[in-house]
Amino acid sequence: MTASQAGQLFVVATPIGNLNDFSQRAIDTLKIVDLIAAEDTRHSKLLLQHFGITTPLQSLHEHNEQQRSELLLQRLLAGESIALISDAGTPLISDPGYRLVSLVKSQAIQVVPVPGSCALISALSVSGVASDRFSFEGFLPPKSAARRQQLSQLKNDQHTLIFYESPRRLLDTLKDCAEIFGPERRGCLARELTKIHETIETRPLSELLEWVAGDANQQRGECVLLIEGASDAVTADEQEMQRVLSLLLPELPVKKAAAIAAGITGGSKNEAYQLALKLQQK
Ligand code: SAM
């Protein structure tokens, strides 16, 4: 069988809360395909029943994706059509499906998007934080040291940063953000989007932290955290670090130059290193 006789793989978004956000095209697609690959079949069964969708389901989650993708590929090659859904929102966005899509495309089989809800895009569209350039960073590491290191690496990025975060870690993450990005930098907490307790709050990080710390309800439910990008104004400290690095870099390896520059200016070694890498690329 050639790819032209093969079926199609539809990547279908499901609601992130409000069931009215399920598009008619998504419902129609899920009704006509031969099989639906779902992250958690028990969870999806309830949604599908609600919309009268009786298509057979098969699980595809992070632990069986590799092996399941091969089987799904065989079915596509045999001419069947398959839809991929996740527990909520758009598959592949902090959800399984990348391996399947990549494998299916490698066989020149058509992959068709059926777009809809996505928590990060919904949050960005209402945050009031710049939306022209942004990077989606997924979930931060759960352990504090790794999380802080990742945030430090993002500190000077000038585009909006978007994170998914568990409500259990929200307060700790906000504390780290206020410390690393500075209390004045604005953040937006977008919680329980499209649901009854939807909350979208944009404030300087110190205020956002205080507000969340003082209200246990803000530490519940699903949330997206957005952080405004760094301003492009270079601070006096950064200017000094740049000056010292530009003297040291022609003479020393990057790591050594960064360590000495950090010692001289009293700045962080990691920031000195990141800046040294940037200066070297110029
Ligand atoms: N694929 C989904 C999407 O398109 O957004 C995301 C899946 S990811 C495993 C789940 C995370 O998305 C949650 O922990 C939360 O950070 C975010 N999320 C999902 N639904 C949300 C909602 N209704 N409000 C706020 N954040 C949400």
Side-chain angles (χ1 to χ4, degrees):
M1 169 137 326
T2 64
S4 63
Q5 293 164 295
Q8 291 174 314
L9 174 66
F10 297 89
V11 178
V12 181
T14 57
I16 56 170
N18 190 324
L19 294 187
N20 289 330
D21 292 338
F22 213 5
S23 77
Q24 191 58 51
R25 181 167 170 238
I27 297 166
D28 293 344
T29 303
L30 294 175
K31 281 186 175 165
I32 57 155
V33 290
D34 297 295
L35 177 74
I36 299 172
E39 191 181 0
D40 177 342
T41 52
R42 273 190 303 181
H43 172 96
S44 293
K45 210 174 232 168
L46 299 175
L47 175 78
L48 299 180
Q49 265 170 5
H50 182 87
F51 287 93
I53 300 165
T54 54
T55 309
L57 281 166
Q58 230 178 59
S59 74
L60 180 127
H61 46 71
E62 60 173 323
H63 303 296
N64 72 359
E65 186 172 349
Q66 188 107 31
Q67 160 232 355
R68 199 37 71 80
S69 294
E70 293 288 344
L71 297 174
L72 294 175
L73 174 66
Q74 294 315 314
R75 293 185 70 157
L76 286 163
L77 286 169
E80 290 190 86
S81 57
I82 297 176
L84 171 68
I85 60 174
S86 62
D87 285 354
T90 302
L92 279 82
I93 306 301
S94 287
D95 270 340
Y98 166 70
R99 287 199 196 106
L100 174 65
V101 169
S102 162
L103 178 70
V104 165
K105 285 187 83 74
S106 75
Q107 301 296 310
I109 293 172
Q110 206 181 351
V111 181
V112 183
V114 182
S117 301
C118 179
L120 79 101
I121 297 298
S122 307
L124 180 65
S125 69
V126 292
S127 64
V129 178
S131 56
D132 54 340
R133 288 179 62 220
F134 62 91
S135 80
F136 173 55
E137 301 290 331
F139 287 94
L140 282 161
K143 295 224 168 99
S144 175
R147 180 169 62 232
R148 289 176 66 88
Q149 189 185 7
Q150 193 159 324
L151 291 173
S152 300
Q153 283 168 1
L154 298 169
K155 182 181 170 183
N156 296 319
D157 286 4
Q158 288 174 13
H159 50 258
T160 298
L161 303 169
I162 307 177
F163 303 98
Y164 283 165
E165 190 48 287
S166 135
R168 277 177 291 119
R169 291 192 285 270
L170 177 63
L171 202 53
D172 286 340
T173 295
L174 272 175
K175 278 183 197 155
D176 288 342
C177 286
E179 209 177 300
I180 291 164
F181 299 121
E184 301 300 322
R185 184 96 72 101
R186 281 190 318 151
C188 170
L189 175 63
R191 221 176 47 80
E192 293 289 90
L193 292 168
T194 78
K195 305 185 204 176
I196 295 173
H197 297 291
E198 178 178 85
T199 314
I200 299 139
E201 196 66 30
T202 305
R203 302 185 188 193
L205 283 168
S206 56
E207 284 180 30
L208 198 58
L209 170 60
E210 204 177 315
W211 178 69
V212 171
D215 181 355
N217 284 332
Q218 303 309 330
Q219 297 162 45
R220 299 202 175 102
E222 297 190 282
C223 61
V224 183
L225 184 62
L226 298 94
I227 310 282
E228 159 177 81
S231 97
D232 57 2
V234 181
T235 64
D237 286 353
E238 284 163 350
Q239 272 177 0
E240 178 61 0
M241 180 75 88
Q242 269 191 22
R243 190 186 68 77
V244 175
L245 277 173
S246 58
L247 293 172
L248 296 174
L249 277 172
E251 313 296 334
L252 296 169
V254 181
K255 219 170 166 178
K256 195 153 197 177
I260 295 175
I264 294 173
T265 61
S268 103
K269 273 190 198 166
N270 187 33
E271 278 172 36
Y273 184 67
Q274 300 300 330
L275 185 57
L277 291 179
K278 261 193 210 157
L279 291 175
Q280 274 214 319
Q281 284 161 8
K282 281 190 180 168

